[in-house]
Amino acid sequence: MHWLVRAFLWLIGLAVAGALALAMVIAVALAMAYPNLPDVSELADYRPKLPLRVYSSEGAMIGEFGEERRTLTPINEIPKVMVDAVLAIEDTRFFEHGGVDYKGMLRAALANLGKVKSQGASTITMQVARNVYLSSEKTYTRKIYEVLLTFKLEHLLSKEQILEIYMNQIFLGHRAYGFAAASEVYFGKPLKDVTIAEAAMLAGLPKAPSAFNPISNPKRARIRQLYIIDRMEENNFITPEQARLAREEPLQLRSTRPTTGGHADFVAEMARQLVYAQYGDETYTRGLSVYTTLNIGEQEAAYTALRKGIMDYERRQRYRGPEKFIALPSDKEALEDVIDDTLAQHPDNGNVLAAVVLAVSSKSMTVQRPDGQTLVITGEGLKPVESGLSNKAAPNIKIRPGAVIRVIATGKDKWSATQLPEVEGAFVALDPRTGAIRALVGGFDFQKNKFNHVTQAWRQPGSTFKPFIYSSALEKGLSPATMINDAPLYYGASVTGGQPWEPRNYDNKFEGPMTARTALAKSRNIPSIRVLDFTTPQFTQEWITRFGFDAQRHPAYLTMALGAGAVTPMQMATAFSVFANGGYHINPWLISKITDHKGNVLSAHVPKPLEQQPRAIEARNAFVMNSMLQTVTKSGTAARAQSTLKRPDLYGKTGTTNDAVDAWFAGFQPTLTAVTWIGYDNPRNLGSRETGGGLSMPIWINFMQHALKDVPVAEYPVPAGVVNMGGEWYYDEFTGPAAAPNLGMTSSTYANPNEPTEAPPPEERNRILDLFRN
């Protein structure tokens, strides 16, 4: 027995020695590792990567930029139900342990042996240490660092600070970091409004954001949600009755599209570029909020109006054929799978939806949308694709079962077949008194084509440029009553230096003598050329720079009278705003202020009063031109504007370039200027009957119906320097012999071929024959 006691004591001694040696090794390891731990003091002022967010003037978010969607939310603003759900599943004893939950570690060890069900051994503090500072590799070394970091965090920060970091830092799928961002991504609502059921669903995401994602894996997400509700009940975070209601509550999930509104992608991108130019890469991490001048209601109206105008035009075009053809399985479930997979590769474009044809005849077409939804198209709804229904249609045009086509709603339970447009468009609206951009749509669809046609598309303005020609002539004595002969003009070879030039009107007809007011209202080309000839192209080229145009883009030739230069829609909106505000040049601007994530204003823009802006033209010039532009919308080529909107304070000008390549309408009301353009990116004919008045003006009218709904009718005051005689306006100094002579009213209706009249050089002659239409 004696030797047994001695052996037992030796074993105890060896165990103690081993334990001491192990403790010394661990102590040395910890002593060596601790100094190498990262500095966690910065977490005392937690600043995660926060995205750039862009807002309308009313505060509606219209864009978000950054790798991580995140809304930094202080712990006292996180609802208790969300905190309870997280603690119930992640770390019930969070406020009791010192960072490492030894009971939890023991429970996890037993779980590894298959003895009990475990909720994991990692505490919230340990997860913070791992997520903020360490990699996800599973090694003993990383685990040691994790434990040491945990102790360090618990020593430096309060429990509330650690929990706040966790609630904002954790990745929850779909680029969402933190529960506030996840609430917006999955439910489209602020975190403060989540229910118990929603909080339980969100709390299930940290363990495996992909596996428990309610959008991509709803069944697994539901199982975990119910388990968390049970845990909340077990820990007395909720009552049994609350748990029962939470289990029964149906969840309303939203798509993964960012929470933005107003269809303002082009505006958001413009804001992003402006901010990036100032802040560089910090743009996407500082949590900057950018507030724009955009009016969200007007933006939505502009987007809808432009899309409708383009799709109305598309209905008049020849059908180009289905986007794809697929084989349709006979099995119903297999059919739905094939259709869903196919349409996932042909996503909807706004209200222009993708569908697969199931059955088709000359009088009816049945198509299927995702999830088995079927639509029947008949009557007028088939007209846009009638060439594809013809028995003589080419194989790539013929619509048959398995064809992938587009459909669009035309009324309640009414559908029309259509196609994605190739034509592009632009719309921009400014406040002419300040230059603030109220609405901007740079193209049909930002995802399809990110080229911003408002600011980047240089196009010929056509007849929308004529008001600036007449404006320059007012300074030379022209008045709205000046008679101009709409009769043939001829410039001989000795004048042009090449082939003779014989400009024509849109209708190839001549109406004879008419007033300048009538000539502009009817958009006659010959009178416009005579006016420019009278003022000289050199004078007018300098004059138009007052409106913001580039002189080098408008050569000093007579073709300038027909809009042969190059402008952008933004330039046109700025230029017409000079008329609208009484003669001042304003610069368009978009960003009103930028704030940091705490709401501190970093920069702000307050426009100067209009009277402090540079004057471009005299008030009387703007007044007389406005009276002429008002006639355009009352009885001229834009008469539809006043007749539809039922208000007299509308001013504007239509424009269609040669061979119907560009279609314009530029117009204003004293408080709002708007410009519309339609055309192909690779310039080509829009159609023999397509004009600015018929194609672009309806878009402008549809927008103004919303924008001017509650705006009172405005009148321009009569400025000094003008006088009304016989119902017409004149400059004071040009009411007698000093007035401009009538133009082209000689005995001969032809210009003298030998007269040194300004005309294009030889290289221009091929461009100017029948150059522009109204």
Side-chain angles (χ1 to χ4, degrees):
M1 293 294 297
H2 184 70
W3 65 270
L4 288 176
V5 173
R6 293 184 63 184
F8 179 73
L9 292 175
W10 270 100
L11 288 174
I12 292 177
L14 289 173
V16 171
L20 290 173
L22 179 63
M24 292 181 63
V25 170
I26 293 175
V28 171
L30 293 179
M32 294 178 64
Y34 199 85
N36 295 323
L37 293 176
D39 182 10
V40 300
S41 60
E42 62 184 26
L43 285 183
D45 185 20
Y46 175 59
R47 293 184 181 182
K49 291 181 179 179
L50 299 175
L52 168 72
R53 291 192 171 101
V54 184
Y55 298 89
S56 71
S57 60
E58 304 91 344
M61 190 166 74
I62 61 174
E64 184 180 46
F65 301 91
E67 294 181 2
E68 303 176 1
R69 296 178 188 162
R70 194 196 307 270
T71 301
L72 185 58
T73 309
I75 189 64
N76 59 359
E77 295 180 13
I78 298 175
K80 183 176 184 299
V81 65
M82 190 69 251
V83 173
D84 289 344
V86 169
L87 294 180
I89 190 63
E90 293 294 335
D91 194 353
T92 308
R93 300 181 62 253
F94 173 70
F95 286 100
E96 300 172 16
H97 60 65
V100 177
D101 187 359
Y102 300 105
K103 290 182 179 179
M105 294 179 70
L106 178 61
R107 191 167 54 245
L110 292 174
N112 290 334
L113 298 175
K115 298 299 178 69
V116 299
K117 185 176 181 180
S118 172
Q119 288 80 51
S122 290
T123 65
I124 285 178
T125 310
M126 294 170 74
Q127 291 184 58
V128 170
R130 180 167 63 246
N131 292 330
V132 176
Y133 291 106
L134 302 175
S135 67
S136 58
E137 64 177 343
K138 294 183 179 181
T139 64
Y140 288 110
T141 302
R142 189 202 61 79
K143 196 65 180 177
I144 291 174
Y145 274 95
E146 181 181 311
V147 172
L148 291 176
L149 271 174
T150 297
F151 290 142
K152 197 169 185 178
L153 287 173
E154 288 277 348
H155 175 72
L156 178 70
L157 306 177
S158 68
K159 286 287 188 179
E160 288 74 15
Q161 286 176 303
I162 294 171
L163 188 58
E164 178 179 300
I165 294 169
Y166 177 83
M167 300 293 282
N168 284 281
Q169 179 73 21
I170 197 73
F171 175 63
L172 300 173
H174 288 292
R175 288 177 41 228
Y177 287 78
F179 289 94
S183 179
E184 293 285 357
V185 167
Y186 295 109
F187 300 117
K189 63 195 302 185
L191 184 62
K192 65 182 179 65
D193 296 332
V194 296
T195 64
I196 294 174
E198 291 167 340
M201 182 66 79
L202 294 175
L205 290 167
K207 182 176 182 180
S210 177
F212 299 119
N213 190 299
I215 293 176
S216 56
N217 288 295
K219 291 182 180 180
R220 294 190 65 182
R222 172 65 171 165
I223 293 172
R224 185 156 177 81
Q225 177 209 29
L226 294 176
Y227 174 63
I228 293 174
I229 293 173
D230 292 342
R231 292 283 302 163
M232 294 177 73
E233 183 182 0
E234 290 173 11
N235 286 278
N236 297 317
F237 290 138
I238 56 176
T239 66
E241 177 63 14
Q242 288 176 316
R244 183 186 67 81
L245 294 175
R247 295 186 190 100
E248 297 174 356
E249 179 183 327
L251 297 185
Q252 299 296 322
L253 296 174
R254 66 187 299 278
S255 69
T256 57
R257 180 178 174 85
T259 309
T260 59
H263 295 100
D265 296 312
F266 286 98
V267 177
E269 174 60 16
M270 288 174 63
R272 182 198 68 80
Q273 293 178 14
L274 291 169
V275 175
Y276 186 82
Q278 182 175 355
Y279 292 96
D281 291 339
E282 288 189 348
T283 297
Y284 312 117
T285 60
R286 286 188 58 177
L288 301 177
S289 292
V290 180
Y291 293 86
T292 68
T293 58
L294 207 70
N295 179 288
I296 199 67
E298 292 177 12
Q299 176 65 25
E300 187 65 39
Y303 172 84
T304 302
L306 183 65
R307 299 261 305 188
K308 182 180 185 303
I310 290 177
M311 291 310 299
D312 286 347
Y313 167 80
E314 196 58 45
R315 287 178 62 88
R316 302 190 290 271
Q317 307 311 302
R318 185 171 180 83
Y319 187 55
R320 295 183 292 275
E323 297 177 20
K324 188 177 182 179
F325 295 96
I326 62 171
L328 300 180
S330 56
D331 180 75
K332 184 178 180 181
E333 290 188 5
L335 175 66
E336 288 194 9
D337 289 342
V338 168
I339 290 177
D340 288 352
D341 290 344
T342 299
L343 295 183
Q345 300 172 26
H346 296 262
D348 295 339
N349 189 300
N351 60 341
V352 184
L353 311 179
V356 174
V357 176
L358 298 181
V360 61
S361 69
S362 60
K363 296 182 178 180
S364 175
M365 184 191 306
T366 302
V367 302
Q368 183 165 318
R369 294 270 299 141
D371 300 325
Q373 179 191 12
T374 58
L375 309 171
V376 178
I377 305 171
T378 59
E380 286 294 310
L382 297 175
K383 191 173 182 179
V385 298
E386 59 185 358
S387 60
L389 302 176
S390 171
N391 292 328
K392 298 180 180 179
N396 63 320
I397 303 297
K398 179 72 174 177
I399 297 178
R400 57 182 183 271
V404 178
I405 68 166
R406 295 284 166 166
V407 297
I408 189 169
T410 56
K412 185 178 182 181
D413 298 325
K414 291 184 179 181
W415 295 87
S416 174
T418 187
Q419 59 188 339
L420 285 174
E422 292 182 344
V423 76
E424 273 293 355
F427 184 94
V428 59
L430 307 176
D431 185 333
R433 301 161 298 182
T434 65
I437 297 173
R438 300 266 291 272
L440 186 149
V441 187
F444 180 76
D445 182 74
F446 181 77
Q447 300 304 322
K448 174 187 171 187
N449 185 354
K450 294 179 172 56
F451 184 79
N452 191 335
H453 296 83
V454 170
T455 59
Q456 295 177 288
W458 290 92
R459 308 294 294 221
Q460 293 178 331
S463 293
T464 49
F465 203 73
K466 289 176 181 175
F468 308 104
I469 306 298
Y470 282 81
S471 171
S472 70
L474 293 181
E475 302 302 306
K476 295 288 189 178
L478 187 86
S479 76
T482 299
M483 296 301 296
I484 308 174
N485 197 7
D486 182 17
L489 277 172
Y490 180 86
Y491 296 94
S494 61
V495 176
T496 64
Q499 294 183 356
W501 181 37
E502 191 173 2
R504 302 176 185 178
N505 290 309
Y506 160 52
D507 56 7
N508 287 320
K509 297 179 181 179
F510 302 94
E511 298 186 7
M514 61 180 62
T515 64
R517 180 182 293 277
T518 300
L520 182 62
K522 292 186 174 184
S523 199
R524 307 299 288 176
N525 288 342
I526 301 303
S528 181
I529 294 172
R530 292 189 187 276
V531 169
L532 181 58
D533 196 11
F534 164 69
T535 59
T536 75
Q538 290 80 8
F539 175 81
T540 303
Q541 183 189 43
E542 186 280 327
W543 181 261
I544 64 172
T545 61
R546 296 166 176 257
F547 297 88
F549 295 117
D550 302 327
Q552 63 269 24
R553 292 185 182 269
H554 301 270
Y557 308 133
L558 287 181
T559 49
M560 182 166 49
L562 307 179
V567 300
T568 66
M570 183 67 84
Q571 272 193 337
M572 292 298 281
T574 303
F576 272 84
S577 291
V578 174
F579 293 138
N581 64 33
Y584 295 94
H585 182 270
I586 49 92
N587 289 312
W589 56 288
L590 179 62
I591 296 177
S592 57
K593 69 176 179 179
I594 301 174
T595 65
D596 63 16
H597 71 282
K598 293 183 178 181
N600 300 315
V601 177
L602 302 179
S603 64
H605 176 75
V606 179
K608 296 179 181 178
L610 188 61
E611 296 73 19
Q612 296 181 20
Q613 300 289 356
R615 179 167 281 284
I617 59 176
E618 291 186 7
R620 62 178 183 173
N621 187 295
F623 179 82
V624 174
M625 282 307 306
N626 289 348
S627 74
M628 296 174 71
L629 292 172
Q630 190 176 36
T631 302
V632 176
T633 63
K634 181 179 181 181
S635 58
T637 57
R640 182 178 173 184
Q642 286 199 31
S643 64
T644 302
L645 296 175
K646 308 297 183 184
R647 55 189 301 154
D649 57 341
L650 302 175
Y651 313 78
K653 185 69 188 72
T654 56
T656 313
T657 60
N658 182 49
D659 202 24
V661 170
D662 298 277
W664 293 84
F665 186 76
F668 57 90
Q669 188 269 351
T671 65
L672 190 62
T673 302
V675 171
T676 305
W677 166 84
I678 300 292
Y680 289 97
D681 281 339
N682 294 317
R684 59 186 171 96
N685 183 273
L686 287 165
S688 59
R689 297 183 179 180
E690 303 294 349
T691 65
L695 185 53
S696 292
M697 186 172 64
I699 298 170
W700 188 91
I701 290 174
N702 287 340
F703 169 78
M704 286 297 188
Q705 281 179 322
H706 170 85
L708 300 180
K709 185 177 180 180
D710 299 317
V711 177
V713 173
E715 292 184 4
Y716 288 107
V718 180
V722 295
V723 61
N724 190 286
M725 299 175 59
E728 193 52 278
W729 296 103
Y730 300 84
Y731 279 16
D732 282 346
E733 66 270 31
F734 295 137
T735 56
N742 294 327
L743 305 181
M745 302 296 290
T746 61
S747 57
S748 172
T749 59
Y750 286 83
N752 185 345
N754 297 312
E755 183 180 345
T757 307
E758 184 70 27
E763 62 269 18
E764 290 287 298
R765 62 179 179 268
N766 292 327
R767 294 179 57 222
I768 62 180
L769 294 175
D770 291 333
L771 189 59
F772 289 93
R773 296 165 57 191
N774 295 322

